[in-house]
CSV table of all heavy atoms in Angstrom, one decimal:
chain,number,residue,atom,x,y,z
A,1,ILE,N,-9.0,3.0,2.9
A,1,ILE,CA,-9.7,1.7,3.0
A,1,ILE,C,-9.6,1.0,1.6
A,1,ILE,O,-10.3,1.5,0.7
A,1,ILE,CB,-11.2,1.8,3.4
A,1,ILE,CG1,-11.2,2.6,4.9
A,1,ILE,CG2,-11.8,0.5,3.6
A,1,ILE,CD1,-12.6,2.9,5.3
A,2,PRO,N,-8.9,-0.1,1.5
A,2,PRO,CA,-8.8,-0.7,0.2
A,2,PRO,C,-10.1,-1.3,-0.1
A,2,PRO,O,-10.9,-1.8,0.7
A,2,PRO,CB,-7.8,-1.7,0.4
A,2,PRO,CG,-7.7,-2.1,1.9
A,2,PRO,CD,-8.0,-0.8,2.5
A,3,ASN,N,-10.5,-1.3,-1.4
A,3,ASN,CA,-11.6,-2.0,-1.9
A,3,ASN,C,-12.9,-1.5,-1.2
A,3,ASN,O,-13.8,-2.3,-1.0
A,3,ASN,CB,-11.6,-3.4,-1.9
A,3,ASN,CG,-10.4,-3.9,-2.6
A,3,ASN,OD1,-10.0,-3.7,-3.6
A,3,ASN,ND2,-9.7,-5.0,-1.9
A,4,LEU,N,-12.9,-0.2,-0.8
A,4,LEU,CA,-14.0,0.3,-0.1
A,4,LEU,C,-15.3,0.2,-0.9
A,4,LEU,O,-15.3,0.3,-2.2
A,4,LEU,CB,-13.8,1.8,0.3
A,4,LEU,CG,-13.7,2.9,-0.7
A,4,LEU,CD1,-15.1,3.5,-0.9
A,4,LEU,CD2,-12.7,4.0,-0.3
A,5,SER,N,-16.4,0.1,-0.3
A,5,SER,CA,-17.7,0.3,-0.9
A,5,SER,C,-18.7,0.9,0.1
A,5,SER,O,-18.5,0.5,1.3
A,5,SER,CB,-18.3,-1.1,-1.5
A,5,SER,OG,-18.3,-2.0,-0.4
A,6,SER,N,-19.7,1.5,-0.3
A,6,SER,CA,-20.6,2.1,0.7
A,6,SER,C,-21.8,1.1,1.0
A,6,SER,O,-22.0,0.2,0.3
A,6,SER,CB,-21.2,3.4,0.1
A,6,SER,OG,-22.1,3.3,-0.9
A,7,LEU,N,-22.4,1.4,2.1
A,7,LEU,CA,-23.5,0.6,2.5
A,7,LEU,C,-24.5,0.8,1.4
A,7,LEU,O,-25.4,-0.2,1.1
A,7,LEU,CB,-24.1,1.1,3.8
A,7,LEU,CG,-25.3,0.4,4.4
A,7,LEU,CD1,-25.1,-1.1,4.5
A,7,LEU,CD2,-25.6,1.0,5.8
A,8,ARG,N,-24.8,1.9,0.8
A,8,ARG,CA,-25.7,2.1,-0.3
A,8,ARG,C,-25.4,1.2,-1.4
A,8,ARG,O,-26.2,0.5,-2.0
A,8,ARG,CB,-25.7,3.5,-0.7
A,8,ARG,CG,-26.7,3.8,-1.9
A,8,ARG,CD,-26.5,5.2,-2.4
A,8,ARG,NE,-27.3,5.6,-3.6
A,8,ARG,CZ,-28.6,6.0,-3.4
A,8,ARG,NH1,-29.0,6.3,-2.2
A,8,ARG,NH2,-29.3,6.2,-4.6
A,9,ASP,N,-24.0,1.1,-1.7
A,9,ASP,CA,-23.7,0.1,-2.8
A,9,ASP,C,-24.1,-1.3,-2.6
A,9,ASP,O,-24.6,-2.0,-3.4
A,9,ASP,CB,-22.2,0.1,-3.1
A,9,ASP,CG,-21.6,1.4,-3.5
A,9,ASP,OD1,-22.4,2.1,-4.1
A,9,ASP,OD2,-20.5,1.8,-3.4
A,10,HIS,N,-23.9,-1.8,-1.3
A,10,HIS,CA,-24.4,-3.1,-1.0
A,10,HIS,C,-25.9,-3.4,-1.0
A,10,HIS,O,-26.4,-4.4,-1.4
A,10,HIS,CB,-23.9,-3.4,0.5
A,10,HIS,CG,-22.5,-4.0,0.6
A,10,HIS,ND1,-21.4,-3.1,0.3
A,10,HIS,CD2,-22.0,-5.2,0.7
A,10,HIS,CE1,-20.2,-3.8,0.4
A,10,HIS,NE2,-20.6,-5.0,0.7
A,11,LEU,N,-26.7,-2.3,-0.7
A,11,LEU,CA,-28.1,-2.4,-0.7
A,11,LEU,C,-28.7,-2.3,-2.1
A,11,LEU,O,-29.8,-2.8,-2.4
A,11,LEU,CB,-28.7,-1.3,0.1
A,11,LEU,CG,-28.5,-1.6,1.7
A,11,LEU,CD1,-29.2,-0.4,2.4
A,11,LEU,CD2,-29.1,-3.0,2.2
A,12,THR,N,-28.0,-1.7,-3.1
A,12,THR,CA,-28.4,-1.6,-4.4
A,12,THR,C,-28.0,-2.7,-5.3
A,12,THR,O,-28.4,-2.9,-6.4
A,12,THR,CB,-28.0,-0.1,-5.0
A,12,THR,OG1,-26.7,0.0,-4.9
A,12,THR,CG2,-28.8,1.0,-4.3
A,13,ASP,N,-26.9,-3.3,-4.9
A,13,ASP,CA,-26.3,-4.4,-5.8
A,13,ASP,C,-26.9,-5.7,-5.4
A,13,ASP,O,-26.8,-6.1,-4.2
A,13,ASP,CB,-24.8,-4.4,-5.6
A,13,ASP,CG,-24.1,-5.4,-6.5
A,13,ASP,OD1,-24.1,-6.7,-6.1
A,13,ASP,OD2,-23.9,-5.2,-7.7
A,14,ARG,N,-27.5,-6.4,-6.3
A,14,ARG,CA,-28.3,-7.7,-5.9
A,14,ARG,C,-27.3,-8.7,-5.2
A,14,ARG,O,-27.7,-9.4,-4.2
A,14,ARG,CB,-28.9,-8.3,-7.2
A,14,ARG,CG,-29.7,-9.6,-6.9
A,14,ARG,CD,-30.3,-10.1,-8.1
A,14,ARG,NE,-29.3,-10.6,-9.0
A,14,ARG,CZ,-28.7,-11.7,-8.9
A,14,ARG,NH1,-29.0,-12.6,-8.0
A,14,ARG,NH2,-27.7,-12.1,-9.8
A,15,ILE,N,-26.1,-9.0,-5.8
A,15,ILE,CA,-25.2,-9.9,-5.2
A,15,ILE,C,-24.8,-9.5,-3.8
A,15,ILE,O,-24.8,-10.3,-2.8
A,15,ILE,CB,-24.0,-10.2,-6.1
A,15,ILE,CG1,-24.6,-10.7,-7.4
A,15,ILE,CG2,-23.1,-11.2,-5.5
A,15,ILE,CD1,-23.5,-11.0,-8.4
A,16,ARG,N,-24.3,-8.3,-3.7
A,16,ARG,CA,-23.9,-7.9,-2.4
A,16,ARG,C,-25.0,-7.8,-1.4
A,16,ARG,O,-24.7,-8.1,-0.2
A,16,ARG,CB,-23.3,-6.4,-2.5
A,16,ARG,CG,-22.0,-6.3,-3.3
A,16,ARG,CD,-21.5,-4.9,-3.4
A,16,ARG,NE,-20.2,-4.8,-4.0
A,16,ARG,CZ,-19.6,-3.6,-4.2
A,16,ARG,NH1,-20.2,-2.5,-3.9
A,16,ARG,NH2,-18.3,-3.5,-4.8
A,17,ARG,N,-26.2,-7.4,-1.8
A,17,ARG,CA,-27.3,-7.4,-0.9
A,17,ARG,C,-27.5,-8.8,-0.3
A,17,ARG,O,-28.0,-8.9,0.9
A,17,ARG,CB,-28.5,-7.0,-1.7
A,17,ARG,CG,-29.8,-6.7,-0.9
A,17,ARG,CD,-30.8,-6.0,-1.7
A,17,ARG,NE,-32.0,-5.8,-1.2
A,17,ARG,CZ,-32.9,-5.1,-1.6
A,17,ARG,NH1,-32.8,-4.3,-2.7
A,17,ARG,NH2,-34.2,-4.8,-0.9
A,18,GLU,N,-27.4,-9.8,-1.1
A,18,GLU,CA,-27.6,-11.2,-0.5
A,18,GLU,C,-26.6,-11.5,0.6
A,18,GLU,O,-27.0,-12.4,1.5
A,18,GLU,CB,-27.5,-12.2,-1.7
A,18,GLU,CG,-28.6,-12.1,-2.7
A,18,GLU,CD,-30.0,-12.5,-2.1
A,18,GLU,OE1,-29.9,-13.4,-1.3
A,18,GLU,OE2,-30.9,-11.9,-2.6
A,19,THR,N,-25.5,-10.9,0.6
A,19,THR,CA,-24.6,-11.2,1.7
A,19,THR,C,-25.0,-10.5,3.1
A,19,THR,O,-24.5,-10.9,4.2
A,19,THR,CB,-23.1,-10.8,1.5
A,19,THR,OG1,-23.1,-9.3,1.3
A,19,THR,CG2,-22.7,-11.3,0.1
A,20,LEU,N,-25.9,-9.6,3.0
A,20,LEU,CA,-26.3,-8.8,4.2
A,20,LEU,C,-27.6,-9.4,4.8
A,20,LEU,O,-28.7,-8.9,4.6
A,20,LEU,CB,-26.6,-7.4,3.9
A,20,LEU,CG,-25.4,-6.6,3.3
A,20,LEU,CD1,-25.8,-5.1,3.0
A,20,LEU,CD2,-24.1,-6.6,4.3
A,21,LYS,N,-27.4,-10.5,5.4
A,21,LYS,CA,-28.5,-11.1,6.2
A,21,LYS,C,-28.7,-10.4,7.5
A,21,LYS,O,-28.2,-9.4,7.7
A,21,LYS,CB,-28.2,-12.5,6.6
A,21,LYS,CG,-27.8,-13.5,5.3
A,21,LYS,CD,-28.9,-13.4,4.3
A,21,LYS,CE,-28.6,-14.4,3.1
A,21,LYS,NZ,-29.6,-14.3,2.1
A,22,TRP,N,-29.9,-10.7,8.2
A,22,TRP,CA,-30.2,-9.9,9.4
A,22,TRP,C,-29.1,-9.8,10.4
A,22,TRP,O,-28.8,-8.7,10.9
A,22,TRP,CB,-31.4,-10.5,10.1
A,22,TRP,CG,-31.9,-9.8,11.2
A,22,TRP,CD1,-31.9,-10.1,12.5
A,22,TRP,CD2,-32.5,-8.5,11.1
A,22,TRP,NE1,-32.5,-9.1,13.3
A,22,TRP,CE2,-32.8,-8.1,12.5
A,22,TRP,CE3,-32.8,-7.6,10.1
A,22,TRP,CZ2,-33.4,-6.9,12.8
A,22,TRP,CZ3,-33.5,-6.4,10.4
A,22,TRP,CH2,-33.8,-6.0,11.7
A,23,PRO,N,-28.3,-10.9,10.8
A,23,PRO,CA,-27.3,-10.6,11.7
A,23,PRO,C,-26.2,-9.7,11.3
A,23,PRO,O,-25.6,-8.9,12.0
A,23,PRO,CB,-26.7,-12.1,11.9
A,23,PRO,CG,-27.8,-13.0,11.6
A,23,PRO,CD,-28.5,-12.3,10.5
A,24,GLN,N,-25.9,-9.7,9.9
A,24,GLN,CA,-24.9,-8.9,9.4
A,24,GLN,C,-25.5,-7.3,9.4
A,24,GLN,O,-24.7,-6.4,9.7
A,24,GLN,CB,-24.5,-9.2,7.9
A,24,GLN,CG,-23.6,-10.4,7.9
A,24,GLN,CD,-24.3,-11.7,8.2
A,24,GLN,OE1,-25.5,-11.9,7.8
A,24,GLN,NE2,-23.5,-12.7,8.8
A,25,ARG,N,-26.7,-7.2,9.2
A,25,ARG,CA,-27.2,-5.9,9.1
A,25,ARG,C,-27.3,-5.3,10.6
A,25,ARG,O,-27.1,-4.1,10.8
A,25,ARG,CB,-28.6,-5.8,8.5
A,25,ARG,CG,-28.5,-6.2,7.1
A,25,ARG,CD,-29.8,-5.9,6.3
A,25,ARG,NE,-29.9,-6.6,5.0
A,25,ARG,CZ,-30.7,-6.2,4.0
A,25,ARG,NH1,-31.5,-5.3,4.2
A,25,ARG,NH2,-30.7,-7.0,2.9
A,26,MET,N,-27.5,-6.0,11.6
A,26,MET,CA,-27.5,-5.6,12.9
A,26,MET,C,-26.1,-5.3,13.4
A,26,MET,O,-25.9,-4.3,14.0
A,26,MET,CB,-28.2,-6.7,13.8
A,26,MET,CG,-29.7,-6.7,13.9
A,26,MET,SD,-30.4,-5.2,14.6
A,26,MET,CE,-30.7,-4.2,13.0
A,27,ALA,N,-25.2,-6.1,13.0
A,27,ALA,CA,-23.7,-5.8,13.3
A,27,ALA,C,-23.3,-4.5,12.7
A,27,ALA,O,-22.6,-3.7,13.3
A,27,ALA,CB,-22.9,-6.9,12.9
A,28,ILE,N,-23.7,-4.3,11.4
A,28,ILE,CA,-23.4,-3.0,10.8
A,28,ILE,C,-24.1,-1.8,11.5
A,28,ILE,O,-23.4,-0.8,11.7
A,28,ILE,CB,-23.8,-3.0,9.4
A,28,ILE,CG1,-23.0,-4.0,8.5
A,28,ILE,CG2,-23.8,-1.7,8.7
A,28,ILE,CD1,-23.4,-4.2,7.1
A,29,SER,N,-25.3,-1.9,11.9
A,29,SER,CA,-26.1,-0.9,12.6
A,29,SER,C,-25.4,-0.7,13.9
A,29,SER,O,-25.2,0.6,14.3
A,29,SER,CB,-27.5,-1.4,12.9
A,29,SER,OG,-28.2,-1.6,11.6
A,30,ILE,N,-24.9,-1.6,14.6
A,30,ILE,CA,-24.3,-1.4,16.0
A,30,ILE,C,-22.9,-0.7,15.6
A,30,ILE,O,-22.6,0.3,16.5
A,30,ILE,CB,-24.0,-2.8,16.6
A,30,ILE,CG1,-25.4,-3.4,17.1
A,30,ILE,CG2,-23.1,-2.7,17.8
A,30,ILE,CD1,-25.4,-4.8,17.5
A,31,GLY,N,-22.2,-1.1,14.7
A,31,GLY,CA,-20.9,-0.4,14.4
A,31,GLY,C,-21.1,1.1,14.0
A,31,GLY,O,-20.4,2.0,14.6
A,32,ILE,N,-22.2,1.3,13.3
A,32,ILE,CA,-22.4,2.8,12.9
A,32,ILE,C,-22.8,3.6,14.2
A,32,ILE,O,-22.2,4.7,14.4
A,32,ILE,CB,-23.6,2.9,12.0
A,32,ILE,CG1,-23.4,2.2,10.6
A,32,ILE,CG2,-24.0,4.4,11.7
A,32,ILE,CD1,-24.4,2.0,9.8
A,33,ALA,N,-23.7,3.0,15.0
A,33,ALA,CA,-24.0,3.6,16.3
A,33,ALA,C,-22.8,3.8,17.3
A,33,ALA,O,-22.7,4.9,17.9
A,33,ALA,CB,-25.1,2.8,17.1
A,34,ARG,N,-21.9,2.9,17.3
A,34,ARG,CA,-20.6,3.1,18.1
A,34,ARG,C,-19.8,4.2,17.5
A,34,ARG,O,-19.1,5.0,18.3
A,34,ARG,CB,-19.9,1.8,18.1
A,34,ARG,CG,-20.5,0.7,19.0
A,34,ARG,CD,-19.7,-0.6,18.9
A,34,ARG,NE,-20.3,-1.6,19.9
A,34,ARG,CZ,-20.1,-2.9,19.8
A,34,ARG,NH1,-19.4,-3.4,18.8
A,34,ARG,NH2,-20.5,-3.7,20.7
A,35,GLY,N,-19.6,4.3,16.2
A,35,GLY,CA,-19.0,5.4,15.6
A,35,GLY,C,-19.5,6.7,16.0
A,35,GLY,O,-18.8,7.7,16.4
A,36,ILE,N,-20.9,6.9,16.0
A,36,ILE,CA,-21.5,8.1,16.3
A,36,ILE,C,-21.4,8.4,17.8
A,36,ILE,O,-21.1,9.5,18.2
A,36,ILE,CB,-23.1,8.0,15.9
A,36,ILE,CG1,-23.2,7.8,14.5
A,36,ILE,CG2,-23.8,9.4,16.4
A,36,ILE,CD1,-24.6,7.5,14.0
A,37,GLN,N,-21.5,7.4,18.7
A,37,GLN,CA,-21.3,7.6,20.1
A,37,GLN,C,-19.9,8.0,20.4
A,37,GLN,O,-19.7,8.9,21.2
A,37,GLN,CB,-21.5,6.3,20.8
A,37,GLN,CG,-21.4,6.3,22.3
A,37,GLN,CD,-21.3,5.0,23.0
A,37,GLN,OE1,-20.7,4.0,22.5
A,37,GLN,NE2,-22.1,4.9,24.1
A,38,PHE,N,-18.9,7.6,19.6
A,38,PHE,CA,-17.5,8.0,19.8
A,38,PHE,C,-17.5,9.6,19.5
A,38,PHE,O,-16.9,10.4,20.3
A,38,PHE,CB,-16.5,7.3,19.0
A,38,PHE,CG,-15.1,7.8,19.2
A,38,PHE,CD1,-14.3,7.5,20.2
A,38,PHE,CD2,-14.7,8.6,18.1
A,38,PHE,CE1,-13.1,7.9,20.2
A,38,PHE,CE2,-13.3,9.1,18.2
A,38,PHE,CZ,-12.5,8.8,19.3
A,39,LEU,N,-18.1,10.0,18.4
A,39,LEU,CA,-18.0,11.4,18.0
A,39,LEU,C,-18.7,12.2,19.0
A,39,LEU,O,-18.3,13.4,19.4
A,39,LEU,CB,-18.6,11.5,16.6
A,39,LEU,CG,-17.9,11.0,15.5
A,39,LEU,CD1,-18.8,11.0,14.3
A,39,LEU,CD2,-16.6,11.8,15.1
A,40,HIS,N,-19.9,11.7,19.7
A,40,HIS,CA,-20.6,12.6,20.6
A,40,HIS,C,-19.9,12.6,22.0
A,40,HIS,O,-19.9,13.6,22.6
A,40,HIS,CB,-21.9,12.0,20.7
A,40,HIS,CG,-22.9,12.2,19.7
A,40,HIS,ND1,-24.2,11.9,19.5
A,40,HIS,CD2,-22.6,12.8,18.4
A,40,HIS,CE1,-24.8,12.2,18.4
A,40,HIS,NE2,-23.7,12.8,17.6
C-alpha cells in the first residue's frame, strides 16, 4: 500500500484528524467490520 498510514496516525495527527469527520469515521468502521467478517 503506497503512502500507507495507520488509523492511529490519523487520530494523533491534528491535520489528518480534521479530515476524519463523522461520515468518514463510520465508513472506516464499516470497512474494518467487513474485513473481520471476511476472516470469520
Side-chain angles (χ1 to χ4, degrees):
I1 306 173
N3 303 319
L4 69 89
S5 62
S6 72
L7 179 55
R8 180 187 177 90
D9 292 337
H10 273 73
L11 290 178
T12 54
D13 183 271
R14 184 181 62 84
I15 297 177
R16 289 178 175 178
R17 186 170 176 170
E18 289 296 323
T19 66
L20 297 182
K21 302 303 182 184
W22 182 250
Q24 283 72 37
R25 296 194 194 198
M26 278 298 92
I28 289 170
S29 300
I30 290 169
I32 297 169
R34 284 174 175 162
I36 297 170
Q37 182 188 43
F38 176 79
L39 290 171
H40 286 186

